[in-house]
C-alpha cells in the first residue's frame, strides 16, 4: 500500500490507516515532516571525469540520511557535516556539466540545479627548470594540458608536501614557486585544478644543495670575454655556469672532473 503525504508543517505526525475513511488504526507509527532541503553552492565545483572528488554541498536542511545525485548518477558516498553542509564523493561521468541535487529519503530531490563541471584530468609534460635549491623559491614553468583557470589551481612538489598556488598563464602553461625541502632528491611535479585531485604524470623536479665557489683561476680577464676560467668548489652539476650573475648564452657542457689545463670558458660580460 502506498500513500502520498499531504503538505504539513515540519514535525512528527502519526501515520494511521483506515479501510473505510472513518475508523483508523491506532498503531502510532511516526512520520517526520522535515524542512525543505536546498543546495546553494558546491566546493569545489570542478572535478575530473574519473570521479572520486569529495565535494562540499553547502545548503540548508541536510539530514543524516541525506545523499547526492550528480545528474542521473548517485554519489559514491555521503557524509553529513552539519545541517548546512554535506560531503559527497563524485561518481565517474562524461565531460560536461550536470546538476547536483540532494535527497534525504532517496525519493524527493532538490531542484536547485547547481552545476558541477566534469573535465579531463590535467597532464604535466615538462617542468623548467628541472632542478632548484633546497631553500625553495624557484619559479618553475609547468607545461602540459588541461590547466583550467580555477580558484583551486595548485602545483604539488612531491605527494607529501603542501601544494602551492599556481599562476595560470594558458591552458598548457603554469608558473609555480617550489617549496623548501630538508633533503636533496627528486620529487614529482603534479597539478590539480581543485586542490584535491592531482595529475599522475610523474614529471621530475630535483632539489639540490647550493653549489659553493671556493676560487677561480685566473681571477681576472678582459671585458671582451673569452677567458678560460677554472672554477673550484662544488657540488657542481651538468648545468650552465654564471659570471657576474649572468648565465652564458648557450648551455656549457660540463664534465665534473675536467683536465686542469682545459678550464671552463667564460662568457662575455656587458659593460
Amino acid at each position: 500500500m502506498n500513500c502520498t503525504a499531504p503538505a504539513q508543517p515540519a514535525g512528527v505526525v502519526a501515520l494511521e490507516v483506515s479501510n473505510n475513511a472513518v475508523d483508523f488504526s491506532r498503531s502510532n507509527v511516526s512520520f517526520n515532516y522535515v524542512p525543505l532541503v536546498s543546495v546553494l553552492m558546491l566546493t569545489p565545483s570542478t572535478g575530473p571525469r574519473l570521479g572520486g572528488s569529495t565535494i562540499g554541498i553547502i545548503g540548508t536542511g541536510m539530514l543524516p540520511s541525506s545523499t547526492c545525485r550528480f545528474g542521473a548518477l548517485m554519489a559514491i558516498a555521503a557524509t553529513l557535516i552539519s545541517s548546512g553542509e554535506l560531503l559527497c564523493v563524485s561518481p565517474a561521468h562524461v565531460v560536461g556539466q550536470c546538476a547536483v541535487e540532494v535527497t534525504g529519503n532517496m525519493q524527493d530531490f532538490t531542484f536547485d540545479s547547481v552545476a558541477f563541471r566534469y573535465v579531463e584530468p590535467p597532464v604535466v609534460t615538462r617542468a623548467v627548470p628541472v632542478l632548484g635549491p633546497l631553500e625553495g623559491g624557484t619559479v618553475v614553468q609547468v607545461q602540459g594540458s588541461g590547466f583550467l583557470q580555477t580558484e583551486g589551481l595548485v602545483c604539488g612538489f612531491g605527494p607529501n608536501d603542501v601544494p602551492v598556488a599556481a599562476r595560470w598563464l594558458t591552458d598548457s602553461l603554469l608558473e609555480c614557486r617550489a617549496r623548501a625541502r630538508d633533503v636533496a632528491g627528486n620529487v614529482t611535479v603534479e597539478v590539480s585544478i581543485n586542490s584535491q585531485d592531482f595529475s599522475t604524470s610523474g614529471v621530475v623536479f630535483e632539489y639540490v644543495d647550493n653549489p659553493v665557489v671556493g676560487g677561480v683561476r685566473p681571477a681576472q680577464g678582459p671585458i671582451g670575454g673569452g677567458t678560460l676560467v677554472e672554477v673550484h668548489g662544488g657540488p657542481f652539476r651538468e648545468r650552465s655556469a654564471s659570471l657576474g650573475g649572468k648565465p652564458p648564452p648557450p648551455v656549457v657542457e660540463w664534465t665534473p672532473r675536467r683536465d686542469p689545463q682545459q678550464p671552463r670558458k667564460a662568457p662575455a660580460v656587458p659593460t
Side-chain angles (χ1 to χ4, degrees):
M1 179 178 181
N2 294 322
C3 295
T4 301
Q8 285 267 36
V12 177
V13 299
L15 193 155
E16 306 292 356
V17 174
S18 173
N19 288 323
N20 60 8
V22 175
D23 304 303
F24 284 84
S25 61
R26 298 179 181 177
S27 305
N28 204 31
V29 174
S30 297
F31 181 83
N32 188 19
Y33 280 93
V34 296
L36 292 176
V37 180
S38 67
V39 177
L40 302 177
M41 65 177 294
L42 310 177
T43 177
S45 59
T46 305
R49 62 174 175 78
L50 304 175
S53 303
T54 299
I55 310 303
I57 316 297
I58 309 302
T60 61
M62 308 296 182
L63 300 170
S65 58
S66 293
T67 188
C68 308
R69 183 175 66 187
F70 291 74
L73 302 176
M74 297 304 299
I76 296 173
T79 303
L80 181 70
I81 302 300
S82 69
S83 62
E85 184 176 5
L86 181 69
L87 298 182
C88 288
V89 179
S90 63
H93 196 282
V94 296
V95 171
Q97 289 190 342
C98 67
V100 176
E101 308 293 357
V102 172
T103 180
N105 61 7
M106 294 301 294
Q107 181 181 147
D108 302 302
F109 285 84
T110 56
F111 292 94
D112 296 308
S113 299
V114 177
F116 181 80
R117 183 182 181 189
Y118 279 97
V119 298
E120 291 289 348
V123 175
V124 176
T125 57
R126 189 182 181 194
V128 180
V130 297
L131 57 77
L134 286 173
E135 61 260 32
T138 304
V139 177
V140 181
Q141 287 198 336
V142 181
Q143 302 173 16
S145 62
F147 301 159
L148 299 182
Q149 194 173 12
T150 63
E151 292 183 359
L153 185 63
V154 295
C155 293
F157 288 81
N160 299 320
D161 282 359
V162 177
V164 297
R167 178 172 175 254
W168 184 90
L169 299 175
T170 71
D171 287 348
S172 59
L173 182 62
L174 305 175
E175 281 186 351
C176 297
R177 192 176 295 273
R179 284 196 180 279
R181 285 179 67 87
D182 296 327
V183 181
N186 293 337
V187 298
T188 56
V189 180
E190 305 294 357
V191 170
S192 172
I193 59 172
N194 61 7
S195 299
Q196 181 182 147
D197 305 296
F198 285 82
S199 58
T200 55
S201 305
V203 171
V204 171
F205 180 81
E206 183 180 5
Y207 281 92
V208 298
D209 293 314
N210 265 340
V212 176
V213 177
V216 296
R217 188 175 63 183
Q220 64 184 26
I223 62 174
T227 304
L228 295 176
V229 181
E230 181 179 307
V231 182
H232 297 270
F236 298 141
R237 299 191 175 253
E238 296 180 6
R239 303 289 185 259
S240 59
S242 173
L243 287 180
K246 295 177 170 47
V251 174
V252 180
E253 292 188 1
W254 171 250
T255 303
R257 296 187 180 276
R258 183 183 293 273
D259 188 331
Q261 301 305 316
Q262 296 181 358
R264 184 183 295 275
K265 187 173 182 179
V269 179
T271 58

